[in-house]
Amino acid sequence: MNQDIQTTPLRENTAVSADGTVIGYQTLGAGPDLIVVGGNLKTSDDYLPLARLLARSFTVHVVDRRGRGASGPQGPEYSLAKEVEDLRAVQAATQARLAFGHSYGGLVVLETARSFPLFDRIAVFEPGVPVAPVPTAWMEPFRERLAAGDHYGAFIHFIQGSGGAPDFMNKLPHWYLRTVFRIAFRGPSWQRMRPLLGACLAEHEQLAAQYGRLPEFAGVTAPVLLLVGARSKPHHREEFATLAGTLPNAVLQTVDGVNHMGPSERKGAPAVAEQALPFLL
């Protein structure tokens, strides 16, 4: 990565959503406007390595979804519809006609595009549109551990129960993972992640509620690049292929060397940007 890309200055901006919630976003680069919407347990800071690469060609606006970063709280009436209102507010403020979404952020982008023709082109990386039922058994023990102030315990229930963990991790005892997680998760990334655990639960409840709505996403008429990590689980890759077949104007591509977290990881960002840039230009 070139030094000028590493040091591209950031500009802090805000938009006001329909319910009055302030939505913060970081802006960098120059060129056509592109909105980046991140996933669960992430803030806009996690996507800056990707954004700096995209900023070679675009003015990139990296959103802090409600409940994190510079944005206001999720609120007691939180829903996917609120996220759509938030994205519409940022789009109105930036006039961006391009969007990139990761995971839950990809669901937000596609749900917005389904009802509002705001974007000319969309790139999503493993968007959270449920093709199969979403696991929910972990949610109650997660809620209990979180209420008790046991952040590591709650996080372990999420990792083991939500379906994204490697198979070997699901076989490890809770006490062992707690010891490992206390060592592995204690730096800046954990400090950003820990306050988002409550939002994580609310977002996954919304995610589970979307199951059965897959046919509705045929309403996304904009061209879509659907990116999938080569290191993601095979059955997840099959589900994204099903989603790509539902979207009327989608191209499915595999990104070598990355898993589901690729866009939010410094080592995965270059591979994701390399495939997204030609499509979005």
Side-chain angles (χ1 to χ4, degrees):
M1 188 184 301
N2 296 333
Q3 184 65 24
D4 62 329
I5 296 297
Q6 292 179 346
T7 59
T8 302
L10 297 170
R11 306 184 292 280
E12 303 287 341
N13 294 294
T14 59
V16 180
S17 194
D19 67 356
T21 300
V22 173
I23 304 300
Y25 57 97
Q26 301 190 69
T27 299
L28 63 162
D33 292 273
L34 165 66
I35 298 174
V36 173
V37 187
N40 196 263
L41 290 174
K42 302 295 181 182
T43 72
S44 60
D45 287 344
D46 292 293
Y47 292 91
L48 289 182
L50 174 65
R52 292 190 188 281
L53 292 165
L54 297 174
R56 292 170 170 167
S57 303
F58 302 102
T59 300
V60 184
H61 310 283
V62 194
V63 178
D64 271 319
R65 290 192 295 101
R66 61 171 59 206
R68 72 206 68 221
S71 294
Q74 284 185 326
E77 298 180 356
Y78 175 75
S79 66
L80 178 60
K82 294 288 186 183
E83 297 271 9
V84 170
E85 291 175 355
D86 299 346
L87 179 53
R88 291 181 67 193
V90 175
Q91 193 279 332
T94 62
Q95 293 298 299
R97 301 294 298 181
L98 304 168
F100 177 96
H102 173 215
S103 193
Y104 191 85
L107 169 63
V108 173
V109 170
L110 292 176
E111 176 68 5
T112 302
R114 187 182 66 81
S115 301
F116 304 97
L118 300 178
F119 303 114
D120 297 329
R121 298 180 82 77
I122 295 167
V124 286
F125 189 99
E126 301 199 355
V129 179
V131 174
V134 176
T136 58
W138 61 273
M139 292 183 178
E140 190 54 37
F142 178 100
R143 185 179 287 108
E144 292 173 356
R145 288 294 86 214
L146 195 61
D150 180 7
H151 296 97
Y152 284 111
F155 188 50
I156 292 167
H157 279 298
F158 166 64
I159 290 295
Q160 287 191 317
S162 62
D167 292 336
F168 78 89
M169 191 175 291
N170 294 325
K171 301 175 183 178
L172 297 174
H174 197 93
W175 65 264
Y176 178 80
L177 283 177
R178 181 186 294 274
T179 301
V180 172
F181 278 28
R182 285 185 179 276
I183 297 172
F185 294 94
R186 57 181 180 179
S189 62
W190 173 248
Q191 296 305 317
R192 287 199 301 270
M193 189 185 303
R194 185 175 62 185
L196 302 179
L197 290 171
C200 168
L201 178 59
E203 289 165 13
H204 276 81
E205 287 173 336
Q206 286 297 303
L207 190 64
Q210 308 314 310
Y211 175 63
R213 295 188 56 231
L214 177 64
E216 297 179 32
F217 288 87
V220 179
T221 57
V224 176
L225 173 65
L226 202 164
L227 298 172
V228 180
R231 294 177 57 195
S232 294
K233 292 185 176 182
H235 73 274
H236 287 159
R237 297 202 301 271
E238 292 172 3
E239 291 172 358
F240 293 121
T242 299
L243 172 59
T246 301
L247 298 169
N249 195 5
V251 176
L252 180 68
Q253 292 181 193
T254 300
V255 184
D256 291 336
V258 302
N259 59 19
H260 181 69
M261 304 312 298
S264 59
E265 294 180 337
R266 187 174 298 275
K267 61 184 179 181
V272 175
E274 182 180 4
Q275 296 212 29
L277 276 166
F279 177 83
L280 293 169
L281 283 171

